[in-house]
């Protein structure tokens, strides 16, 4: 049985875009897992993997940290239903989401995110994210960032839009890891912020609807921010 160490917020919200990649990849493979929710202050739970971040999986005797390494492991260990039939394309989407997309999401939801961490993780998140932003006025920072940030985020989605105008999923006629990467990024704000980031007319909105329906609506049913 696989154990997944997944980042948990207050009220058991599960926002981590990287953990979402792994959960969707496991579902794609039809694999069941044991869920181990972990707070920011519970890194001792993943110390056995030498990791400071989530996700981590324990699969039999194999320990894997980092969502990309986990996807590679799953394709090697469970070759049916490949996650990455076109690995260079998947690697490109992974890098695009990490460096061009997630960075545009963080400033526009950081206040909502800080409000929803577990109470025992609040000091850690205030200190670590405060250092990153140069302020602990997260609400003020978020409000200022939204003035231009939503448009910046939507512009960053343009590469996906161009693909989704031609085909129903980033991976073609059916979803695969590139789609799970992008959905993970969009589930992050959906889980911790009431802000709707997508316009209903956006082709990405329609794609997200199809993705939310996958696996018996797993992502749609996941607790989201009120
Ligand atoms: N490259 C890593 C990134 C993982 C990552 O940054 N996870 C965040 C949650 S979204 C984390 O665990 N952060 C811990 C912290 O900030 O202390 C991956 O793809 O798994």
């Amino acid at each position: 049985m696989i154990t997944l160490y997944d980042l948990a917020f207050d009220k058991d919200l599960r926002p981590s875009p990287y953990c979402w990649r792994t959960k969707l990849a496991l579902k794609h493979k039809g694999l069941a897992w044991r869920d181990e929710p972990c707070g920011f202050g519970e890194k001792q739970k993943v110390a056995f993997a030498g990791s400071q971040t989530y996700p981590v999986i324990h699969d039999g005797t194999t320990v894997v940290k980092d969502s990309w390494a986990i996807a590679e492991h799953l394709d090697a260990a469970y070759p049916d239903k490949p996650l990455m039939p076109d690995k260079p394309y998947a690697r490109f989407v992974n890098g695009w989401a990490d460096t061009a997309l997630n960075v545009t999401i963080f400033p526009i939801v950081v206040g909502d995110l800080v409000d929803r961490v577990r109470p025992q993780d609040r000091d850690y998140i205030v200190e670590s994210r405060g250092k990153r932003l140069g302020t602990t006025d997260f609400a003020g920072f978020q409000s200022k960032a939204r003035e231009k940030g939503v448009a910046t985020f939507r512009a960053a989605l343009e590469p996906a839009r161009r693909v989704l105008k031609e085909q129903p999923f980033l991976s073609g006629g059916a979803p695969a890891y590139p789609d799970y990467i992008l959905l993970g990024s969009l589930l992050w704000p959906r889980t911790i912020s009431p802000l709707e980031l997508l316009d209903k007319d956006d082709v990405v909105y329609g794609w997200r609807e199809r993705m939310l329906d996958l696996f018996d609506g797993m992502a749609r049913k996941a607790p989201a921010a009120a």
Side-chain angles (χ1 to χ4, degrees):
M1 170 65 90
I2 295 172
T3 299
L4 167 66
Y5 298 81
D6 185 7
L7 180 63
F9 275 40
D10 200 23
K11 301 194 165 70
D12 204 29
L13 295 172
R14 305 295 183 93
S16 166
Y18 308 102
C19 295
W20 272 112
R21 291 177 192 179
T22 297
K23 285 178 277 192
L24 293 159
L26 288 166
K27 275 287 181 189
H28 177 97
K29 292 285 185 189
L31 295 167
W33 70 92
R34 187 181 77 79
D35 173 45
E36 182 63 49
C38 308
F40 284 104
E42 293 181 312
K43 303 268 174 70
Q44 76 279 2
K45 286 190 182 176
V46 290
F48 70 92
S51 186
Q52 283 298 314
T53 58
Y54 310 103
V56 166
I57 66 160
H58 208 152
D59 181 6
T61 54
T62 307
V63 170
V64 194
K65 62 175 176 175
D66 187 275
S67 59
W68 177 261
I70 293 170
E72 286 185 311
H73 162 76
L74 293 177
D75 262 353
Y78 308 94
D80 271 6
K81 302 188 200 148
L83 285 162
M84 303 191 276
D86 183 347
K87 197 162 171 186
Y89 174 54
R91 195 186 287 282
F92 179 84
V93 174
N94 204 66
W96 165 69
D98 286 359
T99 63
L101 198 58
N102 291 354
V103 291
T104 69
I105 296 172
F106 177 70
I108 56 179
V109 297
V110 63
D112 294 336
L113 182 150
V114 172
D115 285 346
R116 287 171 177 80
V117 290
R118 290 173 169 182
Q120 62 270 38
D121 287 337
R122 197 176 161 84
D123 287 352
Y124 168 79
I125 207 82
V126 166
E127 204 205 318
S128 62
R129 273 45 177 185
K131 215 174 263 174
R132 198 187 290 177
L133 297 178
T135 176
T136 53
D137 174 15
F138 299 108
F141 186 95
Q142 171 180 279
S143 153
K144 183 94 190 93
R146 282 183 186 179
E147 286 170 16
K148 292 193 177 148
V150 175
T152 304
F153 161 76
R154 289 181 180 176
L157 281 173
E158 187 57 23
R161 212 168 273 127
R162 291 188 188 187
V163 176
L164 294 171
K165 278 181 185 153
E166 303 297 324
Q167 56 191 45
F169 296 99
L170 290 183
S171 308
Y177 201 58
D179 296 273
Y180 306 141
I181 295 167
L182 179 56
L183 185 64
S185 291
L186 300 184
L187 289 173
W188 173 31
R190 179 183 164 93
T191 309
I192 43 96
S193 174
L195 180 71
E196 174 53 70
L197 284 173
L198 296 178
D199 195 281
K200 275 211 162 102
D201 297 334
D202 192 339
V203 68
V204 181
Y205 185 101
W207 166 87
R208 187 182 62 180
E209 288 296 299
R210 292 193 287 285
M211 294 297 294
L212 290 172
D213 287 338
L214 292 178
F215 313 127
D216 202 19
M218 171 176 96
R220 194 186 289 285
K221 286 181 202 155

